[in-house]
Amino acid sequence: MGIGSADYFSERQEELRSVRRRRRMRTFLIYAVLIILSIIALLPVMWMVSISLTPLNKVFQYPPRLIPDPLSLTGYHEAVTLFPFFRYFLNTSFMTAARVIGTVFSASLVAYGFARYDGPLKEVLFVFILTPIFLPEQVTLIPLFVGYTRLGWIDTYNPLVLPAFFGGSAVYIFLLRQFFMTIPTDLDDAARIDGASEFAIYWRIILPLAKPALATVAIFTFMASWNDFLGPLIYLTSKENLPLSVGLSRFLGESGTTLWNSLMAAAILTVLPPILLFVFAQKYIMQGIAITGGGAKG
Amino acid sequence: MRSREAMYLYLFIAPGLLGMILFHLAPMVASLGLSFTEYEITSPPEFVGFENYHRMLFVDELVGKSLSVTAIYAVVGVPIRLFLQLFLAILLNRKIAGIRLFRAILYFPSVVAGVAIALGWILLLNPTYGAVNHILWELFGIIGPRWLNSTQWVIPGLLLMSLWGIGPGIVINLAGLQGISPELYEAAEIDGASGVRKFLHITLPMMSPILMFNLVMGIVSNFQIFTQAYVMTGGGPANSSLFFVLYLYRNAFEFFKMGYASALAWLLFAIILILTLAVFRSSPLWVYYEAKRERN
């Protein structure tokens, strides 16, 4: 059977068709797996939303159902009345805003110093400042608590906010320094000739050029601070000072695990800001994780 | 000019230097000192030598208990999560329509972290009315366990929940996969290598530095688990989910044994340090660095 024969061509065509069929089958399988995994990924939150919209007497029903019948907003009503949601929301927002501002400002200041200037002991100091990345925070927890108690700072936001103004998390200093080093120094020199001060170079030239990196730091600090639990649990005592995280855990204790629809409504309202941030700033989050290896504690 | 430059260096890094000393170095030193004292905040610390360490290592049974709870959780959970992260990253590393949406969806559970989602999982794992047991019954005809109410199933329940938090690990793996040169795969295909062989001989070795990074981070974060245990189980039932940091927290902030809790914190630090060093030391045996190969 020669190469030019009709049999050869039909065989080749048959082969190509089967390759294409197999490839289509593979793509179909991949989509099927991805869709199943997506449902699994979203199920917990969908379940929580469902319970938050269920009237209390139907929360514990068998079989459980994903779409509540009837729909009820009692949970949300109670989440903002029985549970001081707005008060806690303001507390968490204040703590988060202060930490974001403090970290972005001070971490970039330190990072700029390391990226642009030279001096004795620079390398040693750089390593020194980065070591907290590898220290478990539990080791410093007790002395810090003792110190803050002596200063009379318990039940204030000082212990939760002040460290952010002293460099924040070391990972961010590292991330920002890496970014600043990619900005050419020509612009600094030009500004210097025009008589700009060193601080003006940092403030007017470097920071505007580093917006993507600063956004990444701000987003990670936001996420970590919004979810912070151990810090507020230890340093805050009076009820009106609590952030959402500790408030929710107290609400669970007080409601005696009964008001599940209100509890879920409060939980959903709590995670709404991080979800919105994720939806709008997804690009920065994904890039930031790839660079820092998962972000860091706030 | 040089001395002026050095001045600017110190001026700009001063906040970071001060922060490191005030919030890390000084507390570390103080913590070590406190670990040799008996200190209940109300009265001044009293030096007791190695008594805290002696009690911790030879007398207090809950130390061993909490360490074994934490270790079992890590030994089972870390490898499962490492595998799942790599698997999902490979699945998501394709140029097909809608892949960015799937990446976002699979990352999404990691966005809703913390207490709020822990509360949701208390319900999800409810033995009678929870979604998990309902799905087990409907899809597989399995009568689900009592999860958080059972001494045997509380750790598996928390492990199950932790699988929803692997988003960052997936993204790191994805970045690693995209860094592997496609030429390697093309060359292998010309040689007629199968998918499995390509995975074993290209993907795995090229990804091994990232797997090592995730292994270290996984161990470190596992030993620091606190929020889930505090909120969902309170360490129970019968101490079966008494994670080490929860036990440390109780000693410090519920029993106000600051000296003893400091000793526990140093034990935690030592364990994390030893495990991290062990991983780094063993890495030449199983981690492949391309730069090294090029030099040889």
Side-chain angles (χ1 to χ4, degrees):
Chain A
M1 186 167 48
I3 277 185
S5 75
D7 268 4
Y8 176 83
F9 273 117
S10 70
E11 251 174 55
R12 285 290 298 157
Q13 261 176 339
E14 191 52 39
E15 217 173 277
L16 268 174
R17 225 174 280 146
S18 94
V19 166
R20 240 178 261 151
R21 209 177 304 134
R22 244 180 292 151
R23 205 170 280 166
R24 218 179 302 146
M25 194 65 203
R26 231 176 100 102
T27 314
F28 175 77
L29 261 177
I30 287 167
Y31 275 114
V33 172
L34 282 173
I35 288 168
I36 292 170
L37 287 171
S38 298
I39 293 171
I40 296 175
L42 295 177
L43 196 71
V45 172
M46 290 193 311
W47 184 268
M48 289 170 70
V49 172
S50 158
I51 297 285
S52 75
L53 292 167
T54 306
L56 188 57
N57 63 345
K58 291 278 175 66
V59 166
F60 291 115
Q61 63 179 344
Y62 197 90
R65 35 189 316 156
L66 198 54
I67 297 165
D69 177 38
L71 280 170
S72 151
L73 288 174
T74 323
Y76 285 88
H77 181 72
E78 286 179 355
V80 294
T81 50
L82 278 182
F83 178 70
F85 179 80
F86 291 115
R87 174 80 217 192
Y88 293 170
F89 184 85
L90 280 181
N91 291 339
T92 299
S93 303
F94 164 74
M95 177 172 85
T96 301
R99 278 202 214 176
V100 169
I101 293 168
T103 303
V104 168
F105 184 63
S106 67
S108 65
L109 212 58
V110 177
Y112 173 75
F114 279 121
R116 282 297 196 259
Y117 302 106
D118 223 340
L121 291 177
K122 180 180 158 176
E123 306 300 320
V124 180
L125 291 174
F126 189 57
V127 173
F128 179 65
I129 282 186
L130 291 191
T131 41
I133 297 177
F134 305 101
L135 301 176
E137 61 172 332
Q138 288 80 10
V139 179
T140 55
L141 207 58
I142 291 158
L144 284 175
F145 177 80
V146 173
Y148 294 140
T149 308
R150 295 257 170 91
L151 289 167
W153 284 3
I154 296 303
D155 208 24
T156 74
Y157 271 84
N158 291 350
L160 296 164
V161 162
L162 273 183
F165 286 84
F166 289 87
S169 280
V171 187
Y172 303 139
I173 296 176
F174 182 73
L175 176 116
L176 289 174
R177 187 197 78 130
Q178 298 301 92
F179 194 89
F180 291 164
M181 283 175 40
T182 64
I183 301 173
T185 53
D186 312 4
L187 292 166
D188 308 20
D189 296 336
R192 222 166 261 136
I193 290 164
D194 289 345
S197 72
E198 300 298 314
F199 185 80
I201 293 171
Y202 152 78
W203 189 253
R204 297 230 183 93
I205 293 171
I206 301 295
L207 284 195
L209 285 173
K211 270 183 195 153
L214 295 173
T216 302
V217 171
I219 291 163
F220 279 127
T221 310
F222 178 97
M223 295 284 192
S225 175
W226 198 267
N227 291 325
D228 189 12
F229 182 69
L230 185 57
L233 179 71
I234 289 168
Y235 299 131
L236 301 173
T237 49
S238 54
K239 206 179 164 191
E240 68 270 18
N241 274 344
L242 298 181
L244 282 165
S245 58
V246 182
L248 275 178
S249 123
R250 290 252 187 111
F251 189 37
L252 171 72
E254 285 162 10
S255 67
T257 60
T258 49
L259 298 172
W260 278 105
N261 54 346
S262 333
L263 204 58
M264 285 304 111
I268 290 298
L269 290 175
T270 299
V271 294
L272 219 48
I275 290 177
L276 287 176
L277 188 65
F278 174 67
V279 169
F280 290 111
Q282 203 204 105
K283 195 182 82 187
Y284 293 120
I285 295 176
M286 300 295 196
Q287 279 171 356
I289 292 167
I291 300 167
T292 61
K297 46 204 181 198
Chain B
M1 191 58 218
R2 282 209 99 177
S3 67
R4 273 191 61 179
E5 195 187 338
M7 187 193 78
Y8 285 125
L9 171 71
Y10 299 136
L11 220 55
F12 276 104
I13 68 170
L17 219 50
L18 215 59
M20 169 63 199
I21 293 167
L22 285 176
F23 300 114
H24 297 282
L25 185 65
M28 284 273 291
V29 175
S31 168
L32 190 61
L34 277 180
S35 73
F36 294 101
T37 67
E38 199 183 300
Y39 183 38
E40 298 182 347
I41 292 228
T42 41
S43 53
E46 194 184 316
F47 182 75
V48 292
F50 282 94
E51 200 188 292
N52 287 331
Y53 288 93
H54 179 260
R55 182 149 54 109
M56 175 174 83
L57 296 173
F58 304 109
V59 184
D60 189 349
E61 281 170 9
L62 286 179
V63 173
K65 175 73 190 168
S66 61
L67 276 179
S68 82
V69 165
T70 312
I72 289 169
Y73 183 83
V75 166
V76 179
V78 172
I80 293 178
R81 280 195 296 276
L82 279 185
F83 170 78
L84 213 59
Q85 285 163 2
L86 182 61
F87 171 75
L88 291 178
I90 290 171
L91 197 64
L92 289 169
N93 185 30
R94 283 162 214 280
K95 291 190 179 106
I96 54 176
I99 196 69
R100 290 170 64 92
L101 180 67
F102 284 116
R103 283 180 195 158
I105 291 175
L106 292 191
Y107 183 83
F108 175 78
S110 301
V111 177
V112 288
V115 175
I117 204 72
L119 293 180
W121 275 93
I122 297 178
L123 267 189
L124 283 154
L125 291 173
N126 181 295
T128 323
Y129 304 102
V132 173
N133 277 3
H134 183 62
I135 289 167
L136 282 178
W137 175 248
E138 288 292 321
L139 290 186
F140 308 104
I142 296 169
I143 299 176
R146 299 190 51 74
W147 297 117
L148 304 180
N149 303 329
S150 148
T151 50
Q152 281 159 11
W153 284 96
V154 61
I155 294 296
L158 293 173
L159 279 170
L160 183 73
M161 171 188 163
S162 76
L163 300 184
W164 270 258
I166 60 172
I170 299 175
V171 176
I172 297 168
N173 274 296
L174 202 54
L177 287 172
Q178 285 166 353
I180 301 177
S181 151
E183 286 161 24
L184 288 174
Y185 290 108
E186 282 159 20
E189 267 158 35
I190 290 167
D191 292 344
S194 67
V196 178
R197 285 195 65 124
K198 279 189 282 184
F199 176 76
L200 287 177
H201 294 286
I202 300 175
T203 312
L204 264 191
M206 296 302 284
M207 290 295 286
S208 55
I210 283 171
L211 292 175
M212 185 185 92
F213 176 81
N214 281 340
L215 176 64
V216 171
M217 297 316 278
I219 292 170
V220 171
S221 64
N222 257 284
F223 269 88
Q224 300 187 55
I225 289 218
F226 173 75
T227 308
Q228 301 92 306
Y230 181 91
V231 174
M232 294 172 69
T233 67
N239 291 330
S240 52
S241 63
L242 184 69
F243 283 89
F244 191 76
V245 175
L246 180 61
Y247 187 53
L248 190 158
Y249 168 86
R250 287 211 174 136
N251 274 290
F253 302 103
E254 285 176 12
F255 315 145
F256 290 103
K257 293 184 197 160
M258 294 293 172
Y260 187 54
S262 297
L264 289 174
W266 275 87
L267 179 63
L268 177 76
F269 184 34
I271 291 172
I272 289 178
L273 197 68
I274 289 167
L275 287 175
T276 309
L277 284 178
V279 173
F280 275 108
R281 275 292 170 81
S282 73
S283 71
L285 299 175
W286 59 277
V287 175
Y288 172 87
Y289 290 106
E290 194 168 24
K292 210 155 101 191
R293 187 203 58 173
E294 278 168 357
R295 220 177 299 139
N296 289 341

